[in-house]
Amino acid sequence: MRRFALFGECLTAGLLVLVAALPVVTLLPALAAGCAHIKAHVDGETTSLRSFFERVRAALPGGWQLSLAVIGCFAVLAVDVVLLRSRVAGGGFVAAVCGVAAVGLAVVVLRAAAAWSPDARWADLARSAPRRAVADFGGSLLLVMSFGVLLVVTWQLPPLLLPMLGCVLMAAVAVDRRSGRVGQELSRSTSVDG
């Protein structure tokens, strides 16, 4: 029964994130609030609609500028892929590189959103997320696999976009918590060895 409740929260989080991200400039605050919503459910805290939108509001300072930058980067990469694949010799290779860059950007964005808390600053999260993505390469690969599952499932059944988006948010939260535990274990083992 608890697993079904978590799936229900993933569905709710996916829907709420899509609604909150509609203005585009709220993309990162919506993702951060979605991750915080999943964390709150797992930790047994409040997961009401009101608390979700309070988290979005708390994440807005600094988040809307970064959201515009992220959307701009994705737009440039998408335009590059479309133009290069059809009009430039050897453009397929460059388009593939742009696709990999887009996936890398998505991983960094999700890592920043999963690490967000009301006392965190987006500028600090934006600087630390790429380092954490590289340092915990296994966790980053898990996020890439979650994107793959999202694409395959929603390609086959588009109505499953909502729960699958929530599952990607849950994967981001799990990777964030996993990387925190791995870092603590590594620091403990080095202090014991030293």
Side-chain angles (χ1 to χ4, degrees):
M1 188 65 151
R2 177 138 171 85
R3 288 181 185 166
F4 186 74
L6 182 58
F7 179 75
E9 287 300 323
C10 286
L11 176 64
T12 303
L15 174 64
L16 292 174
V17 166
L18 282 179
V19 168
L22 281 176
V24 177
V25 296
T26 57
L27 174 67
L28 283 175
L31 289 171
C35 288
H37 185 86
I38 299 288
K39 285 180 193 176
H41 173 75
V42 170
D43 295 340
E45 298 171 7
T46 304
T47 59
S48 66
L49 291 176
R50 181 180 205 167
S51 63
F52 175 84
F53 287 106
E54 286 171 358
R55 291 178 184 114
V56 171
R57 194 170 6 150
L60 271 175
W64 69 270
Q65 297 99 327
L66 201 54
S67 292
L68 284 176
V70 165
I71 295 297
C73 288
F74 279 126
V76 166
L77 289 170
V79 168
D80 284 350
V81 166
V82 170
L83 291 178
L84 290 172
R85 284 187 71 204
S86 61
R87 298 195 176 134
V88 177
F93 174 74
V94 178
V97 170
C98 288
V100 170
V103 170
L105 178 60
V107 166
V108 169
V109 165
L110 266 180
R111 284 197 169 261
W116 177 84
S117 64
D119 57 339
R121 291 184 38 218
W122 279 109
D124 297 335
L125 293 173
R127 277 191 294 275
S128 68
R131 286 192 300 266
R132 285 185 292 117
V134 171
D136 180 24
F137 190 70
S140 297
L141 284 178
L142 290 172
L143 287 177
V144 170
M145 286 189 273
S146 75
F147 297 147
V149 172
L150 169 77
L151 289 173
V152 168
V153 169
T154 56
W155 169 67
Q156 292 176 348
L157 291 167
L160 290 180
L161 174 67
L162 295 177
M164 288 311 301
L165 178 59
C167 289
V168 168
L169 294 173
M170 183 176 61
V173 168
V175 165
D176 185 58
R177 289 190 172 186
R178 172 189 168 275
S179 66
R181 277 198 310 271
V182 169
Q184 289 172 353
E185 289 171 6
L186 282 175
S187 66
R188 262 191 252 130
S189 69
T190 55
S191 65
V192 169
D193 293 340

